[in-house]
């Protein structure tokens, strides 16, 4: 109301002051009336709203097109993103504004943890292997040493107590206690309470936050992430005692049995100078971890590439010379006097000693191997690579090839890959299992070698190291999470491995191919994205050379003009492939043919349809084309097909009905009368032989039976005399048995020569016998000579007669001897 009257007063004053000017007074009068009307309407509306305040009627808001501004065809617009966000935080019946208001008014709580149960989960469920505890404690010690080294860069006094930076492990077998000591930064009383008394409290992460404000921008030397590694101690220990000395505090003792912990000042004083000692009072079932050999193996397995030296308190027995005491000397002299063997020329002033076996204890360096992959490849010599490979793989020979690289981009990692000089004896017996030859490290700490996805199976023979700071670890650090980064790493490892193999010189590659040729061929079958890269590594025997292997690139260089296919023939041996009827015309025309003599070769070729724009052609299958056929040759082939049409129809419909799909005139045979050809998608004779020999093949497998029962095509050679004779006989009499046998024998021999197995070998033998009878003039009904079998009585009579004959012969011999003696006596008389 005050504003209303103030406006009225101002307009009235203006009106009366300017009444002398007609034009202006008219304008002001109009303004006055308009404002009076507007103000009256506002007052009326306010009164109406005030009267209806208690009786409001809920009205629906005006409808708006839901997809207004949204794009149906191109990129999604922001209104849809906002809508999804609103739906994500909206409950049924509550708007976004109401949800925000609820959150602001809600009472906040903090999760509560049952400490004892949490400790049991960490100890019993987080880790798979108990031996992991040593890796975790050494990693913590390494972080502690890295911290004090970092602090010493700005404050040299931090190393005043001791400049030694090392990790020492000592086993007390008598008391069943294991001590792990480092000379790192140590912990104050507050650190002991905060870091060890709080589960999942990472001292490393806190340290990095304090020095940089961002734990992600860290020095890659620091290992700790989760703050639970220390509690792996309870995997093997009932009680853990931690003695620690920090430069800024006294030496304290922290002790726990998983249910509670205590902290007390060490009454012994500052015995550590600086650092931490963890004493594990081992469980009864963990007594093996005080064994020196066990500790040494675990350090070399998990922590051999830690930056700092790791020493193990070891004993060794050695032979030493000790001086002989006076009593022993007198006893020896008495013995010498009794035996009278004392030598007068022995020097009296020479000390007398004896050899004694003595056990000595000393600190022995365990991690003498250095992380070679962290060095610049240009600074590493071949001898260093060879020594590292032998220590890493336990192989006695040097590797055939190696590659040392750093991968950057979506994921950063360093790696070294090696090709062994010989194939392992169990390479294919364990082919389906995960390879353990690629070891994954995170900041030089071994994580795992149990992988199926990091390196494909066909490259499972390659040894290697992968070290990355970006790998997604599980909390136990025993395995990697399934992550897209693993696929990136695998892709880069495979390409580097294939490039390493490709760069081998000819002599080295020959050795490689002798050992790993099957792996490379399986790679063509299994690794589709890298099929072309792997194809460049293939080598086969060839008709071009009897002793030298041929690559596909070399074959293409030697291809004839207008040749569109790469020809290959598969067989059990090179001789079988060379003498096969399928290669007769190819070799006669001068085409080069690859000979596939290994069982996996044909699998490989079927998985590789073409190479460098040239398609592969199995010459044992139908559809063979030479590329140099002219019109004259085509017309000649059409005439032969027309001429031998009665024979091919008779073979298909009568003589070999049910055994073949069709019979055609061949363009690939020169000296053989006929051959059995598989369809484009059928099995060749070699493939059928391989499939029948599968160790796990089922007797009535539907897929196998389908291929085995597929009918083949019989191709005949119209220039062969047997085919000409068969043509003439068919024209005379199609029902003669000898003609039918001839056709069947020709088919059976073609089946064998084409590499297939006969379905009925007994019937084949019978037909061959009938053909032999006819060829030598023996009638088909000629009887067999009957065999005479003697009875049992006859056999006994024969035995008696033989015995009597033997006796008679012996009597005659005796009589003759007596006569001779009688003659001698007569002569003497």
């Amino acid at each position: 109301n005050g504003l209303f009257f103030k406006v009225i007063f101002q307009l009235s004053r203006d009106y009366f002051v300017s009444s002398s000017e007609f034009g202006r007074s008219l304008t002001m009068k109009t303004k006055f009336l308009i404002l009076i009307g507007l103000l009256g309407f506002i007052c009326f509306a306010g009164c109406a709203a005030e009267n209806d305040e208690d009786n409001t009627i809920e009205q629906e808001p005006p409808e708006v097109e839901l997809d207004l501004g949204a794009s149906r065809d191109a990129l999604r617009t922001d209104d849809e993103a906002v809508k999804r966000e609103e739906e994500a935080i909206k409950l049924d019946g509550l708007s976004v504004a109401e949800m925000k208001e609820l959150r602001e008014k809600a009472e906040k709580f903090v999760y509560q943890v049952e400490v004892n149960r949490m400790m049991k989960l960490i100890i019993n469920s987080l880790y798979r292997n108990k031996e992991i505890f040593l890796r975790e404690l050494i990693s913590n010690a390494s972080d502690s040493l890295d911290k004090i080294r970092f602090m010493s860069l700005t404050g040299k006094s931090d190393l005043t107590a001791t400049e030694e930076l090392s990790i020492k492990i000592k086993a007390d077998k008598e008391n069943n206690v294991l001590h792990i000591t480092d000379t790192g930064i140590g912990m104050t009383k507050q650190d002991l309470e905060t870091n060890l008394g709080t589960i999942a409290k990472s001292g490393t992460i806190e340290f990095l936050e304090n020095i940089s404000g961002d734990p992600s921008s860290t020095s890659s030397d620091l290992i700790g992430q989760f703050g639970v590694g220390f509690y792996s101690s309870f995997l093997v220990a009932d009680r853990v005692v931690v003695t620690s000395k920090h430069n800024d505090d006294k030496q304290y003792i922290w002790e726990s049995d998983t249910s509670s912990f205590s902290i007390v000042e060490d009454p012994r004083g500052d015995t550590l100078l600086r650092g931490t000692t963890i004493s594990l009072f081992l469980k009864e079932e963990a007594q093996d971890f005080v064994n020196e050999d066990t500790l040494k193996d675990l350090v070399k397995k998990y922590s051999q590439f830690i930056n700092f030296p790791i020493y193990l308190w070891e004993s060794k027995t050695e032979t030493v010379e000790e001086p002989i005491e006076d009593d022993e000397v007198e006893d020896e002299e008495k013995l010498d006097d009794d035996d009278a063997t004392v030598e007068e020329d022995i020097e009296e002033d020479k000390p007398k000693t004896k050899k004694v076996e003595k056990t000595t204890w000393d600190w022995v360096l365990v991690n003498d191997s250095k992380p070679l992959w962290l060095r610049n490849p240009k600074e590493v010599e071949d001898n260093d690579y060879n020594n590292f490979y032998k220590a890493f793989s336990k192989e006695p020979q040097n590797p055939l090839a190696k590659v040392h690289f750093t991968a950057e981009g979506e994921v950063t990692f360093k790696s070294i890959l090696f090709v062994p000089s010989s194939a392992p004896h169990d390479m294919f017996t364990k082919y389906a299992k995960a390879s353990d030859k690629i070891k994954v490290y995170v900041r030089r700490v071994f994580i795992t070698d149990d992988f199926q996805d990091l390196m494909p199976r066909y490259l499972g023979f390659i040894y290697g190291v992968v070290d990355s700071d970006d790998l997604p670890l599980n909390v136990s650090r025993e395995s990697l999470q399934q992550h897209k980064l693993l696929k990136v790493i695998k892709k880069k490892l495979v390409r580097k491995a294939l490039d390493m193999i490709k760069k081998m010189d000819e002599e080295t590659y020959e050795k490689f191919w002798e050992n790993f040729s099957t792996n490379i061929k399986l790679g063509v079958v299994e690794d589709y994205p890298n099929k072309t890269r792997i194809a460049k590594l293939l080598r086969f025997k060839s008709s071009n050379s009897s002793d030298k292997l041929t690559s596909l690139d070399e074959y293409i260089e030697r291809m004839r003009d207008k040749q569109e296919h790469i020809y290959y023939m598969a067989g059990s041996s090179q001789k079988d492939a060379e003498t096969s009827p399928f290669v007769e015309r190819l070799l006669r025309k001068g085409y080069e043919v690859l000979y596939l003599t290994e069982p996996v070769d044909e699998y490989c070729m079927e998985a590789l349809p073409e190479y460098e724009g040239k398609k592969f052609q199995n010459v044992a299958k139908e559809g063979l084309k030479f590329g140099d056929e002219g019109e004259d040759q085509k017309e000649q082939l059409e005439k032969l097909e027309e001429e031998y049409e009665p024979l091919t129809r008779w073979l298909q419909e009568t003589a070999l009905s049910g055994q073949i799909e069709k019979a055609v005139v061949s363009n690939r045979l020169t000296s053989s009368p006929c051959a059995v050809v598989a369809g484009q998608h059928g099995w060749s004779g070699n493939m059928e032989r391989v499939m029948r020999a599968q160790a796990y093949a089922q007797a009535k497998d539907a897929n196998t039976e389908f291929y085995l029962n597929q009918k083949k095509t019989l191709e005949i050679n119209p220039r062969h005399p047997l085919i000409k004779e068969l043509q003439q006989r068919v024209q005379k009499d199609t029902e003669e048995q000898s003609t039918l046998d001839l056709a069947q024998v020709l088919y059976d021999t073609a089946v064998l020569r084409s590499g297939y197995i006969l379905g009925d070998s007994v019937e084949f033998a019978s037909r061959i016998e009938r053909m032999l009878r006819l060829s030598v003039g023996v009638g088909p009904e000629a009887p067999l000579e009957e065999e005479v079998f003697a009875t049992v009585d006859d056999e006994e009579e024969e035995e008696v007669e033989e015995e009597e004959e033997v006796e008679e012969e012996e009597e005659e011999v005796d009589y003759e001897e007596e006569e001779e003696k009688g003659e001698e006596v007569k002569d003497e008389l």
Side-chain angles (χ1 to χ4, degrees):
N1 290 334
L3 178 61
F4 176 77
F5 286 112
K6 188 177 293 186
V7 171
I8 293 297
F9 174 77
Q10 182 65 34
L11 290 174
S12 300
R13 187 175 62 86
D14 292 342
Y15 176 76
F16 289 110
V17 169
S18 57
S19 59
S20 59
E21 299 179 8
F22 175 78
R24 187 173 178 181
S25 63
L26 182 60
T27 304
M28 293 304 299
K29 184 177 180 179
T30 304
K31 289 181 180 180
F32 176 74
L33 295 174
I34 293 173
L35 286 174
I36 291 295
L38 287 173
L39 290 173
F41 175 77
I42 292 171
C43 291
F44 174 77
C47 293
E50 188 175 357
N51 293 333
D52 295 339
E53 186 175 6
D54 297 330
N55 301 315
T56 57
I57 299 175
E58 197 172 299
Q59 296 182 355
E60 294 183 359
E63 293 185 0
V64 181
E65 189 177 352
L66 295 178
D67 61 348
L68 184 63
S71 172
R72 297 183 180 88
D73 301 324
L75 298 176
R76 294 293 182 182
T77 52
D78 291 340
D79 63 318
E80 293 181 88
V82 173
K83 181 179 178 181
R84 287 196 300 270
E85 292 177 1
E86 291 177 353
E87 291 176 349
I89 61 174
K90 185 173 65 176
L91 295 177
D92 291 341
L94 295 177
S95 64
V96 177
E98 290 171 334
M99 280 297 303
K100 291 180 179 179
E101 183 179 359
L102 283 177
R103 289 178 177 175
E104 293 174 357
K105 294 180 179 181
E107 185 177 358
K108 303 296 189 298
F109 294 93
V110 179
Y111 284 107
Q112 301 298 319
V113 178
E114 188 177 344
V115 178
N116 292 338
R117 185 168 180 79
M118 188 69 178
M119 287 295 291
K120 289 181 181 179
L121 287 174
I122 292 175
I123 296 168
N124 300 320
S125 303
L126 192 59
Y127 298 96
R128 290 182 299 172
N129 301 321
K130 290 185 176 181
E131 63 186 29
I132 292 296
F133 84 95
L134 189 60
R135 183 198 70 180
E136 296 295 309
L137 296 181
I138 291 177
S139 298
N140 290 345
S142 175
D143 281 353
S144 179
L145 291 167
D146 269 320
K147 292 173 188 176
I148 192 63
R149 183 172 63 177
F150 180 83
M151 298 297 292
S152 66
L153 297 176
T154 55
K156 296 182 179 180
S157 61
D158 292 323
L159 294 177
T160 302
T162 175
E163 294 185 357
E164 180 184 2
L165 298 176
S166 64
I167 302 171
K168 294 182 177 179
I169 303 173
K170 184 176 182 180
D172 185 355
K173 293 184 179 180
E174 295 181 1
N175 299 313
N176 201 29
V177 181
L178 181 64
H179 304 281
I180 302 171
T181 303
D182 66 76
T183 56
I185 195 171
M187 287 179 283
T188 63
K189 180 181 179 181
Q190 184 62 36
D191 292 337
L192 289 171
E193 180 181 352
T194 304
N195 296 338
L196 302 187
T198 305
I199 299 175
K201 175 71 173 178
S202 175
T204 298
I205 297 298
E206 183 179 5
F207 175 80
L208 294 171
E209 289 176 348
N210 292 335
I211 63 175
S212 66
D214 182 10
S216 61
S217 60
T218 73
S219 165
S220 61
D221 293 336
L222 295 172
I223 302 167
Q225 299 181 44
F226 304 109
V228 295
F230 168 76
Y231 304 103
S232 64
S233 306
F234 293 104
L235 290 169
V236 296
D238 292 318
R239 185 162 55 95
V240 177
V241 176
V242 179
T243 306
S244 189
K245 171 66 176 71
H246 192 278
N247 286 334
D248 299 335
D249 205 346
K250 298 178 181 180
Q251 185 167 308
Y252 286 91
I253 298 175
W254 180 96
E255 184 176 356
S256 176
D257 59 355
T258 71
S259 60
S260 62
F261 67 90
S262 62
I263 302 175
V264 66
E265 184 178 344
D266 195 341
R268 298 170 297 180
D270 299 340
T271 56
L272 292 177
L273 301 180
R274 186 194 67 247
T276 301
T277 296
I278 300 176
S279 301
L280 307 179
F281 292 81
L282 300 177
K283 299 176 182 178
E284 185 176 354
E285 65 269 17
Q287 293 181 359
D288 186 48
F289 293 112
V290 294
N291 186 294
E292 297 169 13
D293 293 334
T294 301
L295 293 172
K296 185 184 295 185
D297 292 341
L298 291 179
V299 171
K300 288 187 175 181
K301 179 179 180 180
Y302 291 105
S303 307
Q304 65 172 329
F305 301 115
I306 290 293
N307 278 340
F308 302 96
I310 302 175
Y311 296 97
L312 181 63
W313 186 247
E314 286 189 25
S315 63
K316 60 179 180 179
T317 302
E318 55 185 0
T319 303
V320 297
E321 292 187 356
E322 292 185 350
I324 302 175
E325 298 180 0
D326 295 339
D327 296 339
E328 295 179 357
V329 173
E330 292 177 0
D331 294 339
E332 290 182 1
E333 289 179 351
K334 289 179 181 180
L335 293 173
D336 293 341
D337 291 339
D338 294 338
D339 296 337
T341 58
V342 178
E343 297 181 4
E344 297 180 356
D345 58 345
I346 296 177
E347 298 180 1
E348 296 181 358
D349 58 346
K350 184 177 180 180
K352 294 185 177 181
T353 60
K354 63 179 180 179
K355 293 184 177 180
V356 179
E357 289 188 354
K358 190 175 183 180
T359 301
T360 59
W361 292 82
D362 197 4
W363 293 108
V364 179
L365 181 64
V366 182
N367 61 332
D368 50 354
S369 299
K370 300 301 179 184
L372 201 65
W373 61 85
L374 298 180
R375 296 171 56 184
N376 189 339
K378 297 180 180 179
E379 300 174 357
V380 185
E381 299 180 355
D382 289 342
N383 191 40
D384 296 331
Y385 285 118
N386 294 336
N387 293 335
F388 176 81
Y389 168 75
K390 291 177 181 179
F392 173 75
S393 64
K394 306 298 186 295
E395 294 285 340
Q397 300 176 339
N398 293 333
L400 284 179
K402 63 184 179 303
V403 60
H404 183 183
F405 64 96
T406 299
E408 296 179 348
E410 191 172 355
V411 60
T412 301
F413 65 93
K414 299 178 184 293
S415 178
I416 302 180
L417 301 178
F418 297 96
V419 176
S421 57
S422 60
H425 65 280
D426 57 351
M427 181 166 58
F428 292 107
T429 57
K430 296 182 178 180
Y431 188 74
K433 297 181 181 180
S435 175
D436 60 352
K437 293 179 174 59
I438 301 293
K439 301 188 182 299
V440 176
Y441 291 78
V442 173
R443 297 168 183 170
R444 305 167 314 284
V445 177
F446 174 71
I447 301 301
T448 183
D449 56 7
D450 184 12
F451 277 112
Q452 290 184 342
D453 299 329
L454 198 58
M455 187 67 83
R457 293 184 301 174
Y458 71 93
L459 293 178
F461 59 87
I462 290 181
Y463 287 93
V465 176
V466 175
D467 192 345
S468 175
D469 300 343
D470 302 332
L471 294 179
L473 291 175
N474 288 333
V475 178
S476 64
R477 298 202 303 165
E478 291 180 275
S479 60
L480 299 178
Q481 300 172 4
Q482 292 295 329
H483 199 275
K484 65 176 183 178
L485 293 181
L486 293 181
K487 295 182 179 180
V488 176
I489 293 176
K490 176 182 179 179
K491 182 179 179 181
K492 293 186 178 181
L493 288 178
V494 170
R495 293 193 176 181
K496 283 292 183 180
L498 295 178
D499 289 342
M500 168 179 59
I501 297 171
K502 182 181 177 182
K503 292 178 181 178
M504 292 181 180
D505 57 66
E506 185 174 355
E507 182 179 357
T508 304
Y509 193 79
E510 288 180 1
K511 296 179 181 178
F512 170 82
W513 190 253
E514 290 177 2
N515 290 278
F516 306 106
S517 59
T518 303
N519 296 74
I520 299 302
K521 294 169 185 176
L522 287 173
V524 175
V525 179
E526 297 175 0
D527 192 354
Y528 182 81
N530 295 297
K531 187 179 297 184
T532 304
R533 289 185 175 86
I534 303 172
K536 294 183 178 295
L537 305 176
L538 294 174
R539 300 291 186 274
F540 298 102
K541 295 178 181 179
S542 166
S543 60
N544 183 70
S545 176
S546 59
D547 56 351
K548 186 179 178 181
L549 297 177
T550 297
S551 67
L552 296 180
D553 289 329
E554 293 171 342
Y555 182 98
I556 292 177
E557 290 177 359
R558 295 192 293 263
M559 287 178 64
R560 298 182 58 182
D561 296 339
K562 298 182 180 180
Q563 182 179 345
E564 299 178 355
H565 295 83
I566 299 174
Y567 301 111
Y568 67 89
M569 175 64 203
S572 58
S573 64
Q574 183 172 353
K575 183 179 180 181
D576 288 345
E578 289 174 340
T579 57
S580 172
F582 300 117
V583 300
E584 292 174 354
R585 187 168 296 277
L586 286 167
L587 297 180
R588 186 175 179 179
K589 285 191 169 188
Y591 288 100
E592 183 177 357
V593 181
L594 299 177
Y595 297 138
L596 279 55
T597 58
E598 298 295 331
V600 73
D601 287 351
E602 198 165 353
Y603 281 106
C604 175
M605 284 303 190
E606 289 183 356
L608 189 68
E610 64 177 30
Y611 179 78
E612 298 294 339
K614 302 294 183 179
K615 294 183 178 180
F616 290 91
Q617 174 66 58
N618 188 342
V619 299
K621 293 186 177 182
E622 62 183 8
L624 177 64
K625 295 181 180 179
F626 300 102
D628 59 352
E629 298 94 340
E631 293 296 330
D632 296 339
Q633 293 179 347
K634 291 181 180 180
E635 292 179 0
Q636 185 178 4
L637 182 60
E638 291 176 358
K639 290 180 180 180
L640 289 173
E641 290 176 347
E642 183 178 356
E643 179 183 353
Y644 283 87
E645 192 272 337
L647 176 61
T648 56
R649 187 177 66 255
W650 177 78
L651 289 171
Q652 178 180 345
E653 297 177 356
T654 305
L656 303 177
S657 176
Q659 300 181 59
I660 62 173
E661 182 181 0
K662 59 183 177 179
V664 297
V665 176
S666 176
N667 65 339
R668 75 181 81 201
L669 301 176
T670 57
S671 59
S672 299
C674 53
V676 176
V677 181
Q680 281 293 336
H681 304 288
W683 281 352
S684 66
N686 180 73
M687 180 62 78
E688 184 176 310
R689 175 181 61 84
V690 172
M691 295 304 298
R692 288 179 181 270
Q694 295 295 317
Y696 299 102
Q698 297 180 3
K700 295 295 182 181
D701 181 66
N703 186 52
T704 304
E705 290 294 321
F706 170 76
Y707 283 101
L708 290 178
N709 295 328
Q710 278 191 346
K711 296 179 181 179
K712 314 292 190 301
T713 299
L714 178 66
E715 292 190 1
I716 60 174
N717 183 2
R719 300 171 185 83
H720 199 277
L722 284 176
I723 300 299
K724 290 180 175 293
E725 176 65 21
L726 187 61
Q727 165 84 334
Q728 294 175 2
R729 291 192 177 192
V730 168
Q731 290 174 352
K732 294 178 181 180
D733 187 1
T734 59
E735 301 297 330
E736 186 179 352
Q737 185 62 40
S738 61
T739 305
L740 294 173
D741 284 347
L742 176 60
Q744 188 65 51
V745 170
L746 281 174
Y747 173 73
D748 290 342
T749 54
V751 169
L752 293 175
R753 293 196 65 186
S754 302
Y756 293 98
I757 298 176
L758 283 175
D760 191 349
S761 58
V762 176
E763 183 64 26
F764 172 73
S766 299
R767 281 192 293 271
I768 293 296
E769 182 185 345
R770 288 199 300 270
M771 301 290 290
L772 291 174
R773 282 172 176 267
L774 292 175
S775 64
V776 298
V778 177
E781 304 297 333
L784 295 173
E785 182 179 352
E786 294 185 2
E787 183 177 357
V788 179
F789 295 96
T791 63
V792 177
D793 294 336
D794 294 338
E795 291 178 355
E796 292 179 354
E797 290 178 0
E798 290 178 358
E799 290 179 358
V800 172
E801 291 178 357
E802 289 178 357
E803 291 177 357
E804 290 177 354
E805 291 178 357
V806 171
E807 291 178 357
E808 290 177 357
E809 291 177 356
E810 290 178 353
E811 290 177 356
E812 291 178 358
V813 171
D814 294 340
Y815 179 75
E816 291 177 356
E817 290 179 354
E818 290 179 358
E819 285 186 346
E820 290 178 357
K821 290 181 180 179
E823 294 294 333
E824 290 177 358
V825 172
K826 289 180 180 180
D827 292 339
E828 289 177 357
L829 292 175

